[in-house]
């Protein structure tokens, strides 16, 4: 069970900031409101945290630039406002982070990017590379090509999916409320803040289910859904008051701020269960005894040098079964190369991949984080 005591030891964060925290009454970005957030994220970077930022505010900024006082209802007008506002949003963050010696990178995603396995892996590789370089990715939905209507709370879902994508240690959803309450605090003076509970707690369905006496109209329903999405990869979620003083640094110290929603299983258990039970096997790799011993006894990644035979029709990122020379399945996992590439590099050390394939994508055929023993 994850608790606040381990939060100071978490490394990879996804932080989502809502538009209410960045704008005044929805009338464009307030640059001076960005500075405290950037200062805290820069502090977290210096402390060793990797930070991915999911920020709202593009539509509000686009409306302000165009002089629109009412939020448009037509999808294309919303998409146009988002496209216009993205320019100001990203530039504002880049200017703030640069004064603290950090670079930013804009990442625009759609649901299709995360549904298609090859694009999913490409996005993950790009984000991980940016984090290794010390860059702060600023993620948003690619609204100009999205087919679904822009809805309040979409960035909560996006932040959770990004947490899944990069296997984040913590998802932080910053809001204009103090956290999640057992009753609507706007109507009940005795409402109690839920400081910590599991994402599968039935209480959450009652207080954030969109009912007349719940908090659904305040956006908490999307945050609970996001927390449950993040929990699929074992990531805990903190719903925190964005206007609190030094809130990110207080979370980093393990202080009891906001609401902590914990997954019902750890990161590795969640991911392994997903691999073992929810994906169709597309191919089979026959391993030599050395490779079988290495992944079984030492918990290593699978290297191509230990593969003797390749069967099936699989693409990069799909699930393959790993069998021993007697044909018994010993593991399965997400493969980093397609079947034609594996056929060319099987039995070879990773140092030869570039000369054989013309490039080196990953040194491992299947990384140990994406490999489950059976």
């Amino acid at each position: 069970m994850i608790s606040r005591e381990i939060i100071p030891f978490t490394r990879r964060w996804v932080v989502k900031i809502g538009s209410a925290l960045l704008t005044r009454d929805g009338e464009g970005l307030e640059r001076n409101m960005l500075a405290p957030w950037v200062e805290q994220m820069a502090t977290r970077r210096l402390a060793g945290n990797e930070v991915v930022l999911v920020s709202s505010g593009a539509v509000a900024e686009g409306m302000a630039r165009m002089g629109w006082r009412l939020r448009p209802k037509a999808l294309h007008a919303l998409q146009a406002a988002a496209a216009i506002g993205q320019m100001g949003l990203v530039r504002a963050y880049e200017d703030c982070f640069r004064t603290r010696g950090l670079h930013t990178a804009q990442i625009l995603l759609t649901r299709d990017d995360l549904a298609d396995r090859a694009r999913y892996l490409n996005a993950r590789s790009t984000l991980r590379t940016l984090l290794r370089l010390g860059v702060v990715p600023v993620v948003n939905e690619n609204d100009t090509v999205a087919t679904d209507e822009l809805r309040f709370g979409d960035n909560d879902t996006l932040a959770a999916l990004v947490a899944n994508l990069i296997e984040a240690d913590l998802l932080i959803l910053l809001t204009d409320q103090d956290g999640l309450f057992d009753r609507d605090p706007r109507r009940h003076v005795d409402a109690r803040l839920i400081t910590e509970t599991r994402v599968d707690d039935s209480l959450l369905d009652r207080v954030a289910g969109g009912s007349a006496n719940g908090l659904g109209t305040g956006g908490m329903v999307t945050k609970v859904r996001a927390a449950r999405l993040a929990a699929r990869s074992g990531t805990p979620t903190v719903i925190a008051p964005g206007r609190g003083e030094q809130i990110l640094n207080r979370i980093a110290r393990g202080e009891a701020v906001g609401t902590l929603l914990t997954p019902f299983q750890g990161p590795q258990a969640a991911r392994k269960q997903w691999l073992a039970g929810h994906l169709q096997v597309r191919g089979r790799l026959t391993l030599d005894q050395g490779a079988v011993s290495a992944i079984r006894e030492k918990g290593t990644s699978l290297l191509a040098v230990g593969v003797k035979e390749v069967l099936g029709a699989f693409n990069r990122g799909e699930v393959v079964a790993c069998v021993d020379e007697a044909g018994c399945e010993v593991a399965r996992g997400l493969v980093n190369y397609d079947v034609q590439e594996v056929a060319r590099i099987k039995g070879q050390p990773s140092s030869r991949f570039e000369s054989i394939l013309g490039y080196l994508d990953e040194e491992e055929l299947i990384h140990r984080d994406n490999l489950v023993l059976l």
Side-chain angles (χ1 to χ4, degrees):
M1 179 73 167
I2 295 169
S3 63
R4 292 187 189 271
E5 285 72 22
I6 73 161
I7 289 180
F9 303 100
T10 56
R11 182 164 180 260
R12 184 173 293 165
W13 287 12
V14 174
V15 178
K16 184 262 180 177
I17 304 178
S19 58
L21 301 173
L22 301 173
T23 64
R24 293 195 185 278
D25 300 321
E27 296 183 359
L29 290 174
E30 284 286 341
R31 268 63 175 178
N32 62 344
M33 298 177 74
L34 268 65
W37 298 117
V38 171
E39 184 65 43
Q40 292 179 69
M41 285 184 277
T43 299
R44 300 318 325 148
R45 279 292 315 161
L46 291 174
N49 289 107
E50 297 175 339
V51 179
V52 175
L53 172 62
V54 178
S55 178
S56 301
V59 171
E61 173 67 3
M63 289 172 56
R65 288 185 169 212
M66 297 303 295
W68 298 347
R69 299 190 65 83
L70 297 177
R71 182 183 175 91
K73 295 182 179 179
L75 173 60
H76 292 163
L78 279 171
Q79 291 174 319
I84 296 165
Q86 280 291 343
M87 300 295 291
L89 182 69
V90 173
R91 180 169 183 176
Y93 276 120
E94 172 66 13
D95 289 345
C96 280
F97 275 108
R98 190 167 53 210
T99 64
R100 290 152 182 86
L102 293 171
H103 291 293
T104 59
Q106 183 180 36
I107 303 290
L108 295 175
L109 297 172
T110 66
R111 291 179 185 272
D112 287 344
D113 293 326
L114 301 181
D116 180 89
R117 192 62 196 169
R119 286 152 70 182
Y120 177 98
L121 289 173
N122 287 335
R124 183 178 69 170
S125 296
T126 299
L127 281 164
R128 286 181 167 182
T129 299
L130 290 169
L131 292 174
R132 284 198 299 271
L133 294 172
V135 174
V136 178
V138 180
V139 180
N140 230 314
E141 186 172 1
N142 193 351
D143 294 319
T144 57
V145 298
T147 55
D148 293 332
E149 188 175 3
L150 301 180
R151 297 184 305 273
F152 176 79
D154 274 359
N155 273 352
D156 292 325
T157 301
L158 176 60
L161 294 174
V162 170
N164 293 154
L165 179 69
I166 64 170
E167 296 166 32
D169 299 315
L170 187 65
L171 170 63
I172 300 174
L173 302 176
L174 296 172
T175 177
D176 57 354
Q177 299 183 38
D178 288 338
L180 185 62
F181 288 80
D182 62 352
R183 305 170 78 187
D184 188 341
R186 296 166 298 187
R187 299 179 181 180
H188 303 279
V189 295
D190 59 343
R192 180 181 60 87
L193 178 69
I194 301 171
T195 57
E196 183 173 341
T197 191
R198 287 189 358 171
V199 293
D200 56 344
D201 188 342
S202 60
L203 171 65
L204 301 179
D205 296 307
R206 296 197 299 272
V207 301
S211 61
N213 59 351
L215 300 180
T217 55
M220 282 299 172
V221 62
T222 65
K223 291 171 175 55
V224 170
R225 288 173 181 168
R228 287 173 170 167
L229 278 174
R232 292 182 182 179
S233 56
T235 304
T237 298
V238 175
I239 302 173
R243 294 195 175 96
E245 185 72 20
Q246 292 292 309
I247 198 70
L248 294 181
N249 292 324
R250 290 170 61 196
I251 290 171
R253 292 193 294 268
E255 293 186 23
V257 293
T259 300
L260 172 63
L261 300 180
T262 61
F264 43 84
Q265 54 188 344
Q268 288 304 315
R271 186 165 181 78
K272 302 293 189 182
Q273 183 182 61
W274 175 67
L275 282 173
H278 297 284
L279 292 177
Q280 185 176 358
V281 174
R282 299 292 185 180
R284 187 174 75 172
L285 307 179
T286 301
L287 314 185
D288 62 27
Q289 187 54 47
V292 171
S293 298
I295 63 175
R296 269 185 171 168
E297 299 168 15
K298 299 178 182 177
T300 64
S301 300
L302 176 64
L303 303 178
V305 70
V307 176
K308 300 186 67 175
E309 187 179 3
V310 185
L311 293 174
F314 54 85
N315 295 314
R316 176 177 181 247
E318 293 188 318
V319 176
V320 296
C322 301
V323 303
D324 61 20
E325 294 179 75
C328 296
E329 188 174 7
V330 295
R332 63 179 57 173
L334 301 178
V335 66
N336 288 326
Y337 295 88
D338 66 29
V339 63
Q340 292 85 6
E341 293 166 328
V342 176
R344 295 171 65 188
I345 61 178
K346 66 181 175 65
Q348 300 294 327
S350 55
S351 59
R352 294 205 58 210
F353 286 8
E354 191 164 2
S355 63
I356 295 171
L357 300 176
Y359 67 93
L360 172 64
D361 194 352
E362 303 283 351
E363 293 185 353
E364 306 90 356
L365 201 57
I366 303 177
H367 192 277
R368 63 185 180 185
D369 289 347
N370 297 324
L371 187 70
V372 57
L373 296 176
L374 299 176

